[in-house]
Amino acid sequence: MDIVQQQMLDSWRAAQHGEPPPPLPGRHDREVLREVRRRLAARAAAQRRPAG
């Protein structure tokens, strides 16, 4: 099953239970990457070494 089929199945199941549909695939990717980058920079700062 590919990601599109999984999304369709999850949306259908949510509709059957009266729940909101799940977010579209990839919708939050930028936010997740931004958060990972922020945490790595914070960890580097805590250890007093340059990030990257």
Side-chain angles (χ1 to χ4, degrees), residues 13-24:
R13 286 179 179 162
Q16 297 298 311
H17 293 105
E19 300 171 355
L24 295 174

Side-chain angles (χ1 to χ4, degrees), residues 2-24:
D2 65 16
I3 195 165
V4 174
Q5 292 171 330
Q6 185 66 48
Q7 174 67 23
M8 291 173 62
L9 180 61
D10 291 343
S11 296
W12 178 79
R13 286 179 179 162
Q16 297 298 311
H17 293 105
E19 300 171 355
L24 295 174

Side-chain angles (χ1 to χ4, degrees), residues 4-44:
V4 174
Q5 292 171 330
Q6 185 66 48
Q7 174 67 23
M8 291 173 62
L9 180 61
D10 291 343
S11 296
W12 178 79
R13 286 179 179 162
Q16 297 298 311
H17 293 105
E19 300 171 355
L24 295 174
R27 181 173 177 175
H28 300 289
D29 287 356
R30 287 185 184 167
E31 294 169 26
V32 169
L33 291 174
R34 218 176 271 130
E35 179 66 19
V36 167
R37 188 173 172 190
R38 186 189 66 77
R39 287 184 185 208
L40 288 174
R43 183 185 302 168

